[in-house]
Amino acid sequence: MKPAGRGIRTPLLALLAGATLVSACGNDPKSRVSIPPDNASPQDVVSAYVEAINAHDSAAGRALSTSHFADQLDGMQDNPFKNVIEISKLRVEAPIPNGNESPDGKRYHSAVYVPVKFTLKQREVVSMPDGDTTWGYVLVRAGADEPWRINDNGTG
């Protein structure tokens, strides 16, 4: 005669081990982009944002953006989180002061334009060609102790 419960314990342990293995396989570490701390530089925020694009991690991209910018991307045909295959050879340059008004009509404590250069590869060429690209991001923050967030992108 088997001890009470022993016949149940072994299949239960096997089931739990299998569930752990399946859930570990479903957590692709490439799709998890770390959000920089609130005191991160504009360049660090841009680097994390590009990392999020490469990982197709739109949740991280949204966390690094103002709601205005994130909402704009949602409706774009060439949304970078869906259309970009890869951004490589990223070079993030020094921020340039950009006043305190932004495309969303709000006034911010500070705004900067962060120029970048990279090589772009997309699923579909829509608004910009593949290859070497000169681009940039406008970052804003509501106060001196607030985090920088992307509020626009483009050239110049």
Side-chain angles (χ1 to χ4, degrees), residues 9-149:
R9 188 177 308 145
T10 303
L12 182 58
L13 290 175
L15 178 64
L16 290 173
T20 302
L21 180 61
V22 169
S23 68
C25 292
N27 292 329
D28 181 359
K30 291 183 220 170
S31 68
R32 291 188 184 186
V33 174
S34 296
I35 305 302
D38 286 352
N39 65 350
S41 70
Q43 298 98 309
D44 289 341
V45 173
V46 168
S47 294
Y49 185 78
V50 171
E51 183 181 343
I53 290 172
N54 280 335
H56 305 286
D57 188 345
S58 59
R62 184 170 275 284
L64 293 164
S65 302
T66 63
S67 59
H68 166 78
F69 184 66
D71 291 346
Q72 277 186 327
L73 288 180
D74 286 344
M76 291 176 58
Q77 179 183 358
D78 60 346
N79 177 322
F81 295 96
K82 297 177 182 172
N83 193 42
V84 169
I85 295 171
E86 179 183 39
I87 292 176
S88 60
K89 301 178 186 173
L90 176 66
R91 193 170 89 216
V92 181
E93 298 179 3
I96 301 165
N98 200 46
N100 60 358
E101 291 188 32
S102 72
D104 63 4
K106 293 182 182 177
R107 293 182 63 82
Y108 290 91
H109 176 272
S110 349
V112 293
Y113 177 76
V114 179
V116 296
K117 293 183 179 179
F118 52 78
T119 301
L120 177 65
K121 186 176 180 184
Q122 305 167 93
R123 286 177 172 67
E124 180 182 357
V125 174
V126 179
S127 63
M128 58 197 305
D130 282 342
D132 293 339
T133 304
T134 299
W135 199 244
Y137 296 93
V138 175
L139 284 81
V140 296
R141 64 180 175 177
D145 295 332
E146 297 293 319
W148 289 101
R149 293 297 177 246

